[in-house]
Amino acid sequence: MSEMVELTKAGLAKIKLFSKSKYYTYHGIATYTVDLGKLTNNCILLDEENQTVILKIPHAAMEIDIPLEEMEIGDTQKGLLAFGELSMNDDESKKLYSEAKKRMEEKLDADNIQEKADRMAKLSVWEIYQPMVAGVANGYALDVQFID
C-alpha cells in the first residue's frame, strides 16, 4: 500500500507567498501473523461428545513495514516569493512517517483486513493441524477458535 503525506513550511511571517511544500510517498507492506508460540496447554480442549479437538489461537497480529529507501520525494512547490529547496529535519521525518503509517492502518481497518486475516489464520492453522488430529484420533475433527 502507499500513502502520500505533505510537508509544509510557512516561510517569512507565515505569508503564503513565502511558503514551500513537498509531498512524500511512503510504500508499506502489511503482514499478518499468528504467534503459535503463545499456545499453552489451556489452548487445547477436547470435546469427546462431539469428537472435536478445539484449538484456541491468538488473533492475527498486524505489522506494517515501510522501507524508507523506497520513499518517493516529490518536487518542492513554492509560493511566488519563496526560494530554495525544502528539506526536513529528523523530527519532521518521524512525524511524516508516523502520519503515513497511521493512515495505512486506518485504510486497513476501513477495509476490514483484520477480519480477513483472522479468517485466513484459522484456515491455515486448520490445514496444518487437522491431518495430525485425524491421524492421532480417528473420527475427530479440529475446530480452530480465537482466544478472547
Side-chain angles (χ1 to χ4, degrees):
M1 62 178 18
S2 296
E3 193 59 48
M4 184 183 299
V5 290
E6 180 182 19
L7 174 65
T8 302
K9 292 194 179 174
L12 181 68
K14 299 190 181 200
I15 299 172
K16 192 167 184 154
L17 292 172
F18 295 102
S19 69
K20 296 185 253 182
S21 65
K22 188 180 281 194
Y23 288 98
Y24 295 83
T25 304
Y26 292 87
H27 301 282
I29 299 170
T31 306
Y32 290 84
T33 58
V34 175
D35 186 357
L36 298 179
K38 293 182 179 179
L39 297 180
T40 65
N41 289 340
N42 296 333
C43 295
I44 303 170
L45 307 169
L46 182 61
D47 180 355
E48 292 183 48
E49 183 178 318
N50 295 312
Q51 291 189 314
T52 304
V53 174
I54 300 167
L55 178 61
K56 295 191 173 239
I57 63 171
H59 286 275
M62 176 189 62
E63 183 176 321
I64 298 178
D65 180 36
I66 305 173
L68 293 178
E69 62 273 5
E70 294 181 19
M71 177 180 59
E72 296 174 26
I73 302 171
D75 294 331
T76 300
Q77 306 296 313
K78 303 174 194 171
L80 291 174
L81 300 176
F83 59 91
E85 278 299 309
L86 178 63
S87 59
M88 67 176 154
N89 61 35
D90 287 341
D91 288 339
E92 292 166 332
S93 175
K94 289 176 186 173
K95 183 179 176 184
L96 289 180
Y97 178 88
S98 294
E99 179 65 25
K101 187 172 185 176
K102 179 182 171 192
R103 288 183 189 178
M104 288 179 187
E105 289 170 351
E106 288 170 353
K107 278 184 182 178
L108 292 169
D109 286 345
D111 291 342
N112 294 321
I113 300 299
Q114 179 67 48
E115 183 180 313
K116 293 173 187 173
D118 279 344
R119 190 171 58 247
M120 292 305 300
K122 282 177 78 169
L123 179 62
S124 296
V125 169
W126 186 88
E127 288 176 344
I128 292 168
Y129 290 107
Q130 173 58 36
M132 285 189 264
V133 169
V136 172
N138 192 20
Y140 275 73
L142 176 66
D143 181 19
V144 180
Q145 301 175 2
F146 288 108
I147 301 169
D148 291 321

